[in-house]
Amino acid sequence: MILPNSTIGVFGSGQLGRMFAIEARKMGYRVHTFSPASDTPTGQVADFETSANYEDLEAVEKFARSVDVVTFEFENVPSATVETAAQFVAVHPQGAILHTTQNRLREKTFLAENGFPVAPFRHIKTLDDLYHSVAEIGTPAVLKTAGFGYDGKGQVKIKAVGEIEPAFENLKGNEAVLEAFIEFEKEVSVVAARDVRGNFTHYGVIENAHENHILDISFAPAIVSEKVFAEAVEIAHSVAENFGYVGTLCVEFFLTKDEKLLINELAPRPHNSGHLTFDACVTSQFEQQLRAVCGLPLGSTEFYAPSAMVNLLGDVWNAGEPNWERALENPSLKLHLYGKAEPRIGRKMGHLTALAKTAEKAVEIVKNVRQNLAAR
Ligand code: AMP
């Protein structure tokens, strides 16, 4: 067991690491973040910040020797980096899980081979593969680069055969996955945690809406049938078991009109859709990650009330500094900002959370407040 006052190493330095560090420091742990950047969202609240490239294995070794356990807030860390760290210190979740989940093709293959429901997909290496696969899967379909994609980056929708060649060109030689486009009813996620002993906890089903492929709003509890709820949680549990997972995990799903769940993506870390647990639950997804990787008992995932979260993207700054005073006039609203100096379009700068009698009401509050933020 890794006790308070120990140092937790975190690969990555964004907002997920920042919220993790806040929780870890609340419980008396020290935090050391490793990423190529400096003065980062995580670094600003961590005890130590190493700014080095992930490929700098000497720096990785030094980092790994200086901490008591390593975890991630960013899964696209090269395998060699994780393997190097693992020679000196325990790493959770394991490098092999990261290796699977950082590549869409490996992830979907793992899921399909283990009997999990996913949208029909094909591996694309050549233009010929793409022609054949579009013929098999039909249109519309979505072409996604296999590696290093998030928030819709590297995705193209193919609506007709004429769009195949430009879509292939767009890959610039990268391997890809072609997926059937799913006319989903809604998108939901299950944020869960598993510890070394196999104990499992979850936050039920969270409902998500995306704008331009980026998560816009999440609320809990999701509006789904009991059957869907039970199935989604069961799938998340099986995924975690299958991996021998230790830490916080998110399973993102499409829910079809006939109530079928398909896994869209796994996140081997706390997830944007679980940010609302920070304010709405007895134990947040970040504290749960800390407890799991330190070998502490997992905490209660009970919700104080239904809740909703909206992301604040750089776009909110278009007309200048948002009107924070106005936002905070609502005394029950929680404002989270990630300490990023430069607001860019589409960049996640912060989020708002509200608790209310119903999730619907909470959604209304966060949406209204966000709208008023840009009002002069
Ligand atoms: P991803 O980066 O793959 O999670 O995709 C981001 C978002 O794009 C998803 O949350 C969906 O809203 C949309 N999307 C991705 N793949 C599909 C698909 N096969 N069918 C329908 N929508 C999709």
Side-chain angles (χ1 to χ4, degrees):
M1 202 180 304
I2 293 160
L3 295 174
N5 268 326
S6 306
T7 305
I8 319 291
V10 180
F11 277 127
S13 60
Q15 60 270 16
L16 299 170
R18 180 185 182 91
M19 290 181 266
F20 175 85
I22 289 170
E23 293 290 45
R25 295 196 66 166
K26 253 164 71 178
M27 282 175 66
Y29 287 89
R30 290 175 172 267
V31 178
H32 185 161
T33 168
F34 186 113
S35 82
S38 58
D39 187 31
T40 56
T42 310
Q44 290 165 13
V45 295
D47 296 81
F48 312 103
E49 178 172 46
T50 293
S51 305
N53 288 326
Y54 292 117
E55 291 76 15
D56 180 350
L57 298 185
E58 254 176 60
V60 171
E61 176 178 340
K62 194 167 163 221
F63 164 74
R65 284 184 185 278
S66 74
V67 299
D68 297 291
V69 64
V70 166
T71 188
F72 304 87
E73 68 100 51
F74 168 72
E75 67 265 40
N76 290 324
V77 176
S79 294
T81 310
V82 184
E83 281 162 22
T84 301
Q87 287 171 25
F88 306 100
V89 66
V91 177
H92 297 301
Q94 288 161 24
I97 300 172
L98 245 69
H99 182 72
T100 303
T101 54
Q102 67 190 198
N103 178 286
R104 289 183 197 281
L105 184 65
R106 286 197 289 268
E107 180 173 286
K108 284 186 190 297
T109 306
F110 161 85
L111 290 169
E113 281 178 353
N114 286 285
F116 293 106
V118 289
F121 71 95
R122 297 286 184 281
H123 180 187
I124 306 298
K125 282 183 286 195
T126 64
L127 183 59
D128 247 19
D129 291 342
L130 188 56
Y131 270 107
H132 285 131
S133 302
V134 170
E136 281 171 17
I137 283 185
T139 50
V142 189
L143 186 65
K144 303 178 176 182
T145 49
F148 291 75
Y150 64 95
D151 288 346
K153 291 191 174 74
Q155 288 191 22
V156 185
K157 192 165 169 183
I158 298 177
K159 296 183 288 303
V161 174
E163 294 173 6
I164 291 179
E165 281 188 38
F168 186 79
E169 294 297 313
N170 196 47
L171 292 174
K172 299 187 179 70
N174 290 306
E175 281 197 318
V177 178
L178 182 78
E179 237 176 74
F181 183 81
I182 305 299
E183 296 286 352
F184 52 76
E185 173 73 20
K186 53 179 68 175
E187 291 185 87
V188 297
S189 57
V190 174
V191 174
R194 184 179 177 278
D195 69 15
V196 197
R197 290 169 291 278
N199 296 309
F200 178 81
T201 58
H202 62 84
Y203 295 89
V205 181
I206 299 170
E207 187 161 332
N208 306 314
H210 293 76
E211 284 285 335
N212 302 320
H213 299 276
I214 302 176
L215 184 67
D216 182 47
I217 184 156
S218 293
F219 65 85
I223 302 164
V224 293
S225 66
E226 274 177 38
K227 175 178 153 276
V228 167
F229 182 100
E231 260 176 45
V233 168
E234 175 50 32
I235 290 171
H237 192 176
S238 309
V239 169
E241 276 301 313
N242 235 288
F243 274 136
Y245 196 88
V246 176
T248 293
L249 164 81
C250 176
V251 183
E252 291 182 78
F253 298 95
F254 299 133
L255 178 62
T256 66
K257 292 187 173 60
D258 53 354
E259 298 229 307
K260 263 191 12 217
L261 283 161
L262 298 170
I263 299 182
N264 172 33
E265 215 169 24
L266 305 177
R269 49 168 169 77
H271 186 256
N272 197 165
S273 63
H275 285 4
L276 47 77
T277 64
F278 210 171
D279 298 309
C281 298
V282 174
T283 314
S284 72
Q285 62 167 350
F286 306 102
E287 181 179 335
Q288 210 71 303
Q289 169 93 347
L290 174 77
R291 287 170 174 250
V293 305
C294 289
L296 298 171
L298 297 176
S300 160
T301 54
E302 192 185 331
F303 278 75
Y304 297 122
S307 71
M309 183 245 29
V310 284
N311 272 332
L312 300 177
L313 301 184
D315 316 46
V316 174
W317 276 250
N318 274 350
E321 189 68 19
N323 193 339
W324 303 123
E325 192 183 341
R326 178 125 183 238
L328 295 169
E329 274 169 10
N330 182 327
S332 56
L333 187 97
K334 302 296 272 188
L335 168 67
H336 296 255
L337 291 171
Y338 308 145
K340 298 180 184 178
E342 198 193 325
R344 288 196 295 271
I345 302 287
R347 188 178 198 202
K348 289 175 180 169
M349 301 295 290
H351 68 267
L352 304 172
T353 312
L355 272 60
K357 287 231 157 57
T358 63
E360 226 174 5
K361 181 74 193 151
V363 167
E364 198 184 302
I365 296 170
V366 285
K367 275 189 163 172
N368 275 339
V369 173
R370 181 172 63 181
Q371 206 164 27
N372 286 336
L373 273 178
R376 297 287 102 198

